[in-house]
Amino acid sequence: MGRSPCCEKAHTNKGAWTKEEDDRLIAYIRAHGEGCWRSLPKAAGLLRCGKSCRLRWINYLRPDLKRGNFTDEEDELIIKLHSLLGNKWSLIAGRLPGRTDNEIKNYWNTHIRRKLLTRGIDPATHRPLNEPPSTTPSTTTTSTTNLQDVTTTTTTISFSASAAAAASTDQKDHNNNNNNNNNKQVVQVKHEMMRCPDLNLDLKISPPMATQQQQKQSAETLKKNGGGMIRELCFACNLGLQNSKDCSCSCSSSFNIVVDHNNTSSINGGSSSNNNNTCYDFLGLKTSVLDYRSLEMK
DNA sequence: AAGGACACCAACCGCCCATGT
DNA sequence: GACATGGGCGGTTGGTGTCCT
């Protein structure tokens, strides 16, 4: 059964918003807050579709938006998040305060794609352009990193227990029914070992399992650093690339961020048993307990 | 100066999911 | 369980400005 249109299209304006429309929308949301977008246009005296109002507000009128050019740091963050999350623009935007998914999407398509292409990297796969599409092991190296391409695997990151459980069956279902997926909660991440050779995304995100000695060392290091303090790691370390040439914080300890089936996350090597407000900076998320569901939150 | 090509980005469209009835 | 509705997301389009010939 087809869906009813979100609004009466015959009586709505389309195209660019006028200053007056903007003012009306801003005034209304200031007075009443964000609420029912469907009824908002009528209440605000706007001849616009509710969706259009929402988009205008979120992408352009929101007071907390950061306008202006993207910084190099934002560029790199977007690239790395995209390599992990794919075209999940809203998730990526969630990690860039003041930026919207639409803005990032546009920026990706106009700037970053080209930037990666000039680096000889396929923006879709984050693999070298001249690399054959097969998944057979190779020793190709890129111009920007010296990470070895070992193999390609598909891993499911689950954002919830049910999704985690569903994830296993999801693959089966996917074969039978293309549309029957839980993409909102389950992100299929094709992660190439080339990108993150040490990053195991199978239900946990970690460098290779730290040895007990490493874990002990890490715990001691953490203790030394004050325990409850926010631990700042460079991006390379956040991705499990400790001691790589990209590492700028020269940390030597290993931290495993484990996401289990019970919606809980813990940090191995740090203080998995007592989180006691320990914060880690994973992908720039200073979070006491890494909960992937938060990635969905804008 | 003109006009075609290109780049940028705001806005739209269609689909999906969650929730309520 | 079936259906209706609202909200959200990713892909795409079209208008506008800039660059190039």
Side-chain angles (χ1 to χ4, degrees):
Chain A
M1 182 182 280
R3 296 198 45 193
S4 60
C6 72
C7 52
E8 185 53 63
K9 299 202 175 199
H11 301 104
T12 56
N13 292 339
K14 288 174 78 172
W17 279 66
T18 66
K19 178 83 172 63
E20 191 190 343
E21 286 177 313
D22 282 347
D23 290 344
R24 275 179 185 269
L25 182 56
I26 292 168
Y28 183 86
I29 291 178
R30 274 192 187 144
H32 303 93
E34 294 179 45
C36 176
W37 293 108
R38 194 183 177 92
S39 59
L40 185 149
K42 197 176 178 183
L46 288 163
L47 293 174
R48 287 279 180 177
C49 165
K51 283 181 141 186
S52 183
C53 294
R54 175 184 160 271
L55 219 60
R56 182 66 178 170
W57 172 255
I58 288 174
N59 287 332
Y60 201 79
L61 300 176
R62 250 170 46 198
D64 58 327
L65 289 181
K66 187 201 288 182
R67 311 301 300 182
N69 295 337
F70 282 76
T71 64
D72 288 342
E73 288 75 24
E74 285 176 312
D75 270 22
E76 294 305 316
L77 184 57
I78 291 168
I79 291 168
K80 302 214 171 180
L81 285 169
H82 186 272
S83 74
L84 285 169
L85 301 168
N87 292 358
K88 300 289 174 190
W89 304 117
S90 59
L91 295 184
I92 295 171
R95 310 270 57 92
L96 286 151
R99 302 294 188 184
T100 69
D101 52 357
N102 204 39
E103 192 179 12
I104 292 170
K105 180 172 59 183
N106 282 332
Y107 188 67
W108 175 271
N109 287 327
T110 56
H111 291 88
I112 299 181
R113 273 174 61 87
R114 209 176 312 138
K115 186 173 173 178
L116 291 179
L117 286 171
T118 59
R119 287 183 188 175
I121 296 171
D122 183 345
T125 63
H126 295 262
R127 299 168 70 90
L129 273 173
N130 55 1
E131 182 176 281
S134 79
T135 58
T136 54
S138 83
T139 55
T140 309
T141 57
T142 72
S143 58
T144 54
T145 71
N146 59 356
L147 305 175
Q148 286 190 335
D149 180 14
V150 179
T151 183
T152 299
T153 59
T154 299
T155 302
T156 298
I157 292 181
S158 169
F159 291 149
S160 71
S162 60
S168 57
T169 57
D170 195 55
Q171 286 283 27
K172 280 183 241 159
D173 292 346
H174 205 76
N175 295 333
N176 297 330
N177 182 356
N178 237 355
N179 292 325
N180 186 19
N181 58 25
N182 294 314
N183 282 345
K184 273 283 160 57
Q185 293 176 312
V186 178
V187 176
Q188 295 266 322
V189 180
K190 273 202 162 174
H191 77 95
E192 292 81 17
M193 299 305 284
M194 172 209 71
R195 295 199 303 264
C196 309
D198 299 334
L199 186 60
N200 177 5
L201 292 175
D202 190 6
L203 292 178
K204 60 179 180 273
I205 295 179
S206 72
M209 289 303 290
T211 63
Q212 284 190 342
Q213 191 182 357
Q214 284 174 315
Q215 293 185 13
K216 202 173 164 189
Q217 230 174 20
S218 301
E220 282 171 6
T221 310
L222 184 69
K223 224 177 188 176
K224 237 184 261 178
N225 287 344
M229 302 284 289
I230 290 174
R231 182 179 174 80
E232 293 271 9
L233 299 178
C234 71
F235 207 97
C237 290
N238 284 328
L239 292 174
L241 304 177
Q242 285 92 340
N243 303 323
S244 78
K245 70 169 191 171
D246 293 332
C247 175
S248 61
C249 67
S250 66
C251 69
S252 58
S253 54
S254 301
F255 286 85
N256 297 331
I257 304 171
V258 177
V259 181
D260 69 20
H261 289 277
N262 299 318
N263 277 345
T264 58
S265 308
S266 59
I267 315 292
N268 290 343
S271 52
S272 59
S273 55
N274 65 332
N275 285 315
N276 79 0
N277 298 328
T278 304
C279 298
Y280 301 90
D281 187 17
F282 177 77
L283 295 176
L285 329 167
K286 292 188 181 63
T287 174
S288 54
V289 177
L290 180 68
D291 183 348
Y292 274 94
R293 287 168 303 173
S294 71
L295 285 167
E296 292 183 280
M297 309 289 281
K298 265 206 162 171

